């Protein structure tokens, strides 16, 4: 039965494409308000990683059974993702854009973690392949994701500190 895996992959693909539209709009608005993009050189690598992750799943997962436990974990992460987007509103973007003088968001999931969106992405990169019974795929992409997040979080923290946003 292929439809459950195809439906899940379609959902994730459309979600990511929709988020790119939102991110572009928010980035443009932040830049128009005087925001400054930081460390743009890693962005194409991050986009390529996420595109390869989804494309690879489209090649490997159709027709594979969807494991209920990992599917439910993944869907729980989607609820958390929506919480992040709702908390950040027009400040959510896939790029690192610093708006000098804007207060650091400390509500919603940001009360508990400095970078909840990255924690969610870590979970997603691992759990979606696991939902399709692809543990090696989950590990490989988790390692690549860890490498890009190391670069990204370091750049973001430095930018926030230099903008005197962090305490």
């Amino acid at each position: 039965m292929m439809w459950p895996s195809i439906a899940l992959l379609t959902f994730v693909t459309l979600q990511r494409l929709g988020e790119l539209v939102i991110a572009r709009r928010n980035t443009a608005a932040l830049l128009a308000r005087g925001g400054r993009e930081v460390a743009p050189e890693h962005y194409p690598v991050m986009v390529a990683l996420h595109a390869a992750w989804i494309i690879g799943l489209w090649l490997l997962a159709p027709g594979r059974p969807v494991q209920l436990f990992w599917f439910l974990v993944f869907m729980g992460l989607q609820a958390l993702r929506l919480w992040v987007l709702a908390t950040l509103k027009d400040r959510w973007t896939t790029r690192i854009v610093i708006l000098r003088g804007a207060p650091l968001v400390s509500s919603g999931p940001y009360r508990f973690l400095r970078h909840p969106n990255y924690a969610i992405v870590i979970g997603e990169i691992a759990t979606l392949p696991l939902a399709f019974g692809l543990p090696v795929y989950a590990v490989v992409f988790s390692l690549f994701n860890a490498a890009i997040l190391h670069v990204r979080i370091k750049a973001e923290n430095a930018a926030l500190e230099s903008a005197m946003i962090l305490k």
Side-chain angles (χ1 to χ4, degrees):
M1 211 162 47
M2 287 183 63
W3 76 264
S5 56
I6 298 287
L8 182 53
L9 289 169
T10 300
F11 166 77
V12 173
T13 302
L14 293 175
Q15 176 192 48
R16 293 304 199 264
L17 292 172
E19 287 175 356
L20 286 175
V21 171
I22 293 167
R24 280 197 178 122
R25 183 193 67 214
N26 289 350
T27 298
L30 288 167
L31 293 174
R33 290 173 42 202
R36 180 177 55 91
E37 184 176 1
V38 177
E41 60 279 353
H42 82 279
Y43 188 73
V45 176
M46 188 180 74
V47 170
L49 172 73
H50 284 259
W53 176 72
I54 290 175
I55 291 167
L57 287 172
W58 272 104
L59 294 173
L60 298 173
R64 296 183 70 93
V66 176
Q67 316 251 337
L68 182 61
F69 173 78
W70 291 113
F71 169 75
L72 293 174
V73 172
F74 183 78
M75 294 313 288
L77 291 167
Q78 300 321 292
L80 294 173
R81 173 183 281 284
L82 289 174
W83 191 22
V84 167
L85 270 69
T87 300
L88 290 178
K89 298 179 181 91
D90 62 346
R91 289 177 64 182
W92 182 85
T93 181
T94 54
R95 296 182 179 268
I96 301 172
V97 179
I98 302 299
L99 191 58
R100 190 171 295 279
L104 192 63
V105 174
S106 60
S107 60
Y110 291 86
R111 290 180 306 216
F112 309 108
L113 290 173
R114 180 178 280 182
H115 300 290
N117 194 59
Y118 301 148
I120 293 163
V121 171
I122 289 167
E124 289 172 332
I125 293 288
T127 60
L128 188 59
L130 291 173
F132 295 118
L134 298 168
V136 173
Y137 194 91
V139 169
V140 168
F141 273 90
S142 291
L143 292 172
F144 286 135
N145 186 52
I148 196 69
L149 282 180
H150 173 75
V151 170
R152 184 174 178 88
I153 291 170
K154 185 176 176 182
E156 187 169 331
N157 284 342
L160 291 170
E161 288 172 12
S162 72
M164 295 184 195
I165 294 174
L166 288 180
K167 295 176 182 170

